[in-house]
Amino acid sequence: MKNMAGLQGMQPGAQQSVEESMRPFREFLTQYNKITEKCFTDCVTDFTTRNITNTENSCSINCLEKTLKTTQRISERFQEHQLLNVEDPSAAMQQMGK
Amino acid sequence: MAGITEAQLKLVADLEMEMMADMYNRMSTTCQKKCIPTRYKDSELTKGETVCVDRCVAKYMDIHDKIGKKLTQMSQQDEERVKQLQAQMQN
């Protein structure tokens, strides 16, 4: 996991900032757990076998990729909206109406 | 270990433990929902419920692993792309 690499460069002794620098890693792991829960709930329905079926497998991977893409898109649109709001609040309202 | 103090290692271990507990709680709720009907006619687990719970736990861990591997793979690809872009910027 890429956030682990960031730990190497941390300054020893700075306890407060260590906690702070762990935050992205913590958020990443929480997100990971949430995605597993969601995709398992939506994709795995066959408990007559212990093995993951092909359908369950591809469903889970698609679910993961789609969730990430959706989150990214939502964040992009939200950022645009925030930016417009700062520049010109009335234009933002019009943009939302489109 | 270069640059990593014991306190930092403990923080990482604590975080790992916390996330394991979080995963366990989510799995527990999910498998109860999937395998145990809420009629509660009997206090005993039926044979079918028992087998379902066993398989649910096993499959949950499998899916957790698969998604973890895919996520790692995706973030590695991301990192490589950033490195390539940075190299291009310097040229």
Side-chain angles (χ1 to χ4, degrees):
Chain A
M1 298 180 203
K2 67 175 169 185
N3 296 304
M4 280 299 262
L7 292 173
Q8 306 272 352
M10 284 189 327
Q11 291 297 312
Q15 195 64 22
Q16 198 65 42
S17 79
V18 169
E19 291 268 11
E20 193 57 27
S21 64
M22 293 278 277
R23 234 180 56 199
F25 190 45
R26 158 181 262 106
E27 267 164 30
F28 171 79
L29 289 177
T30 313
Q31 188 73 359
Y32 170 31
N33 281 352
K34 282 185 184 163
I35 289 178
T36 304
E37 185 186 26
K38 175 183 155 57
C39 294
F40 182 85
T41 305
D42 293 345
C43 291
V44 183
T45 47
D46 182 7
F47 293 103
T48 59
T49 168
R50 186 242 169 273
N51 300 318
I52 309 278
T53 64
N54 283 336
T55 335
E56 286 169 349
N57 188 40
S58 57
C59 175
S60 307
I61 299 297
N62 287 343
C63 171
L64 163 66
E65 291 188 15
K66 201 160 187 159
T67 309
L68 292 178
K69 282 174 192 162
T70 313
T71 331
Q72 198 192 346
R73 195 158 184 101
I74 290 172
S75 126
E76 281 168 16
R77 293 296 87 80
F78 180 69
Q79 276 174 33
E80 274 174 19
H81 177 248
Q82 290 296 92
L83 218 66
L84 277 171
N85 241 341
V86 173
E87 283 168 2
D88 181 4
S90 64
M93 293 306 283
Q94 282 180 337
Q95 188 74 21
M96 285 294 276
K98 272 183 191 168
Chain B
M1 288 283 249
I4 302 185
T5 66
E6 233 167 86
Q8 286 168 348
L9 276 177
K10 193 182 174 299
L11 268 173
V12 176
D14 284 353
L15 181 62
E16 212 168 301
M17 202 55 216
E18 187 191 324
M19 288 305 153
M20 275 288 254
D22 181 55
M23 193 271 270
Y24 176 84
N25 287 332
R26 289 172 193 279
M27 175 178 74
S28 176
T29 329
T30 307
C31 288
Q32 294 222 18
K33 261 190 218 153
K34 290 230 182 233
C35 293
I36 317 292
T38 50
R39 273 171 278 112
Y40 302 119
K41 272 199 297 193
D42 189 36
S43 68
E44 289 301 313
L45 282 169
T46 67
K47 184 111 194 202
E49 286 164 353
T50 313
V51 171
C52 180
V53 165
D54 290 353
R55 286 177 181 153
C56 183
V57 169
K59 286 178 100 164
Y60 197 96
M61 311 272 237
D62 279 3
I63 294 287
H64 193 66
D65 274 357
K66 275 179 198 284
I67 287 180
K69 285 201 181 101
K70 185 78 193 170
L71 267 177
T72 319
Q73 183 204 327
M74 283 163 89
S75 69
Q76 273 167 359
Q77 279 172 353
D78 256 12
E79 231 170 312
E80 266 163 47
R81 217 169 294 141
V82 170
K83 266 183 208 156
Q84 275 174 4
L85 274 174
Q86 278 172 346
Q88 275 175 11
M89 296 273 268
Q90 277 168 359
N91 287 338

